Amino acid sequence: MEQNLPEPQAALPPLSPEPQKPKRQFGQWFLLVAAVIALAAAIVFLVLRVIDPPSRQGADEVERNQTPGLDGVIAENMPPEQLILADCLRGFKSPLDLQTVVTCDSSHNAQLIGTFDVEDGPDAPYPGPDDLLARSEDLCKSVALDPSAGIDSTWTYHFSRPSEGTWKQGDRTISCFLSLSEGSIRSSLLPATDSDTADSSEPEASEQKTEEDQNSGNSN
C-alpha cells in the first residue's frame, strides 16, 4: 500500500518579503532645516529690535489739520519726534507710540508739557540710564503748570530720553509728558502765556507719581 502513496513534496522555504526601499526623505529634511533657519532669523530680528529699535528719523512728515472738525483731531499716527510742545494727545499710553494729536479743548488724556536738550557736549560719553532718569525727573517736574488745571495724584509723569544707541547718533532730547490714569480732560495743563516755551520754575504739583518709561529708541 505504501508504494501507491504519492511521493512527499519537499518543503519549500517560506518566501521572504522583499526589503522595502527606504523612502527618499531629502525633501522633508530640507523643509525642516529651512523652517529652523527662518525661525532663528525671526528670533534674532525681534531681539535686535527690542535691544535697539530703529529710529524713525526718516519717517515722512505727518500733516497737521489746521482746521480740525468736531472731533478735534489735528493728526493721527504722529511719530513722537514730530510732536511739538503743548500738543494734547488722545489715547496716550507710552511716549514711544504713534500719537493722536487733538485740540486741547477736546477730549484727551495726556499732553507734551516740556522738551529739553541734555547739556552734554557732542562727544560726551553716554551718562547711563540712571543718570538720565534722574535728569528727566528733575527737568519734567520743573515745568510750571496751570494752577487751574486741577493736577492731582491721578496724573503721571512719563519721560522719553536718549538710549545708548540714539545717544551715539547725537540724540540729546528729553521729552516730558503728563497723562491721566483714567478719564480725560478738555483743557491744557500749561499756562496760556507759556504754551510756546518750556518754563523751568517750581512745579505746581510736587507729589505727583512718576513712571519710568525707558526710551529704547529715538526720542526726538
Side-chain angles (χ1 to χ4, degrees):
M1 294 293 295
E2 294 181 357
Q3 294 180 353
N4 294 328
L5 294 177
E7 291 289 334
Q9 295 183 357
L12 297 176
L15 295 177
S16 58
E18 295 184 5
Q20 294 183 353
K21 296 181 180 180
K23 296 181 180 180
R24 300 183 66 182
Q25 299 181 345
F26 176 78
Q28 296 179 356
W29 279 107
F30 177 81
L31 292 177
L32 179 60
V33 171
V36 171
I37 293 175
L39 178 61
I43 293 174
V44 171
F45 176 76
L46 291 175
V47 170
L48 291 177
R49 286 182 66 89
V50 170
I51 295 176
D52 193 8
S55 67
R56 298 196 198 114
Q57 288 184 347
D60 293 335
E61 189 76 19
V62 175
E63 185 177 354
R64 290 172 175 259
N65 183 4
Q66 302 301 322
T67 56
L70 295 177
D71 59 2
V73 175
I74 296 174
E76 294 181 307
N77 297 320
M78 176 76 74
E81 62 270 17
Q82 295 180 21
L83 296 174
I84 61 176
L85 182 62
D87 270 346
C88 290
L89 310 173
R90 179 177 297 167
F92 175 91
K93 293 181 180 179
S94 165
L96 304 183
D97 293 340
L98 297 175
Q99 306 294 345
T100 297
V101 182
V102 298
T103 58
C104 291
D105 59 359
S106 63
S107 177
H108 62 279
N109 70 326
Q111 187 170 5
L112 175 60
I113 61 170
T115 58
F116 300 90
D117 288 330
V118 179
E119 295 181 357
D120 290 4
D123 299 326
Y126 179 62
D130 293 338
D131 179 87
L132 285 177
L133 173 61
R135 294 197 213 183
S136 299
E137 187 169 347
D138 290 341
L139 289 170
C140 292
K141 284 188 172 182
S142 74
V143 176
L145 304 174
D146 187 345
S148 65
I151 304 298
D152 56 24
S153 60
T154 61
W155 289 86
T156 303
Y157 280 109
H158 299 259
F159 316 124
S160 173
R161 57 194 184 277
S163 67
E164 185 172 5
T166 62
W167 182 275
K168 293 178 181 179
Q169 299 171 7
D171 179 19
R172 298 293 186 272
T173 301
I174 291 175
S175 298
C176 308
F177 299 81
L178 265 175
S179 75
L180 270 175
S181 303
E182 295 180 356
S184 61
I185 63 170
R186 293 176 178 270
S187 60
S188 175
L189 302 176
L190 298 176
T193 55
D194 293 336
S195 296
D196 298 328
T197 58
D199 196 278
S200 58
S201 61
E202 289 298 320
E204 297 295 334
S206 60
E207 296 183 0
Q208 295 163 353
K209 297 183 296 182
T210 60
E211 173 179 311
E212 178 179 354
D213 282 295
Q214 175 65 42
N215 180 2
S216 60
N218 188 358
S219 59
N220 289 341

